[in-house]
Amino acid sequence: QVQLVESGGGLVQPGGSLRLSCAASGIIFDIHAMGWYRQAPGKQRELVATISSRGSTNYAGSVKGRFTISRDNAKNMAYLQMTVLKPEDAAVYYCNARNDYSGYDYWGQGTQVTVSS
């Protein structure tokens, strides 16, 4: 059974930092690209950042320079370090795993990030 479990969300003040974690199980982690997406109320889910199975990264323009995605293949973990958080970063953040060969997507349940003073 595939599971992606996010953690690390919470309430943070503008300008603050958070680190999200995604624990993957039930997949061959190192043949999956990992990604973080987010969805704010009333908005569509959007890509935040991805990291390929080989470590290449891609970021949405709105987070470039503030967020860093990483992965630890030995631990089957993906991370999203978020800094200089803005109110517009508030959303439910979802972890995604995409199989390099089939393109099949797996999703976590999401973790809430609230940015407010």
Side-chain angles (χ1 to χ4, degrees), residues 3-7 21-25 36 77-78 95 107-111:
Q3 279 194 310
L4 299 178
V5 179
E6 303 97 335
S7 61
S21 299
C22 174
S25 60
W36 289 95
M77 295 289 295
C95 179
W107 293 94
Q109 292 298 306
T111 186

Side-chain angles (χ1 to χ4, degrees), residues 2-9 18-27 29 32-37 49 51 68-82 93-98 106-111:
V2 177
Q3 279 194 310
L4 299 178
V5 179
E6 303 97 335
S7 61
L18 278 176
R19 187 195 196 206
L20 304 183
S21 299
C22 174
S25 60
I27 60 172
F29 190 75
H32 285 77
M34 300 300 295
W36 289 95
Y37 291 72
I51 183 166
T68 302
I69 189 170
S70 61
R71 63 188 294 157
D72 185 336
N73 287 354
K75 296 181 178 178
N76 286 10
M77 295 289 295
Y79 305 97
L80 184 69
Q81 179 67 51
M82 306 185 292
Y93 282 70
Y94 297 91
C95 179
N96 167 268
R98 177 170 293 173
Y106 300 97
W107 293 94
Q109 292 298 306
T111 186

